[in-house]
Amino acid sequence: MHSMTPEKIAFLDSEIAGLRTRIGSGGNSVQRAKLKMLRDIREDYQKSIATAARHDQGGDV
């Protein structure tokens, strides 16, 4: 796992929170698409952490 992955996740969390605040209950299609993209990227990083943890413990990847 890349050593900066936790920091990247923290950055994405703050970006997602800020975008949610700006969107509020509405928002436009570009903002909603960006929010989905950021969530997808964050999920990918989270999965890479979980995979690395299983690998480090000798489990299946």
Side-chain angles (χ1 to χ4, degrees):
M1 171 179 66
H2 190 273
S3 62
M4 295 296 293
T5 300
E7 288 84 356
K8 290 178 182 179
I9 289 175
F11 172 78
L12 288 166
D13 285 343
S14 66
E15 287 292 306
I16 289 168
L19 187 55
R20 279 186 187 149
T21 300
R22 286 190 298 280
I23 291 174
S25 62
N28 61 43
S29 62
V30 173
Q31 290 172 317
R32 290 188 297 274
K34 182 177 180 180
L35 183 60
K36 181 183 180 329
M37 178 192 66
L38 291 173
R39 287 178 177 162
D40 289 346
I41 293 169
R42 188 203 182 286
E43 183 179 320
D44 288 345
Y45 278 125
Q46 194 64 45
K47 285 178 183 176
S48 72
I49 288 175
T51 300
R54 283 193 307 274
H55 184 268
D56 290 346
Q57 295 174 355
D60 291 340
V61 183

